[in-house]
Amino acid sequence: MTRFLKNLVLVPIAVVLIALAVANRHVVTLSLDPFNRADPAVSVDAPLFWILFAAVAFGVFIGGVASWAAQGKWRKEARVKRREADRWHSEADRLKAQQQGDGGKAITSRSAA
């Protein structure tokens, strides 16, 4: 079922992208010099669809970086909570070992859940 839904979404996107590439295959000049239009210092000659695809990919990348940066406080909190949980687990293991009379030998392996 998941494969069908994935194909239901990806096939129309692929058709649209192929149509876009075929319709916009003429070479254009992308100039990154706003002051000298006649002889730009930085320019790229490429098919228009490559420039469009690169712009979309750049936008996805910037969005991912912004999302990752915005979630930084949650990742930090998760690290702090994990350290605290590990400390409490080791304390509980030490107390359990003392109660059983092992002489304070703690359990060292614990699976991460």
Side-chain angles (χ1 to χ4, degrees):
M1 182 67 172
T2 305
R3 185 176 180 182
F4 173 73
L5 291 175
K6 188 168 96 172
N7 287 336
L8 187 67
V9 171
L10 292 180
V11 168
I13 290 174
V15 169
V16 168
L17 289 177
I18 290 170
L20 179 73
V22 170
N24 294 297
R25 61 184 174 200
H26 300 309
V27 175
V28 295
T29 301
L30 175 66
S31 174
L32 301 175
D33 186 5
F35 302 112
N36 190 0
R37 294 183 73 196
D39 187 26
V42 179
S43 67
V44 176
D45 292 330
L48 180 60
F49 72 93
W50 282 116
I51 294 171
L52 293 174
F53 290 166
V56 169
F58 183 70
V60 168
F61 176 74
I62 293 298
V65 168
S67 176
W68 179 79
Q71 295 170 357
K73 65 180 178 180
W74 303 113
R75 287 192 307 277
K76 181 179 179 182
E77 184 177 345
R79 281 193 305 270
V80 169
K81 297 293 183 186
R82 172 48 94 186
R83 283 189 208 115
E84 185 178 344
D86 287 342
R87 190 179 41 170
W88 284 111
H89 282 298
S90 63
E91 178 70 16
D93 290 342
R94 186 182 63 78
L95 291 174
K96 191 183 294 184
Q98 281 182 352
Q99 186 179 16
Q100 292 175 355
D102 286 342
K105 189 166 76 174
I107 301 170
T108 58
S109 66
R110 185 171 288 275
S111 64

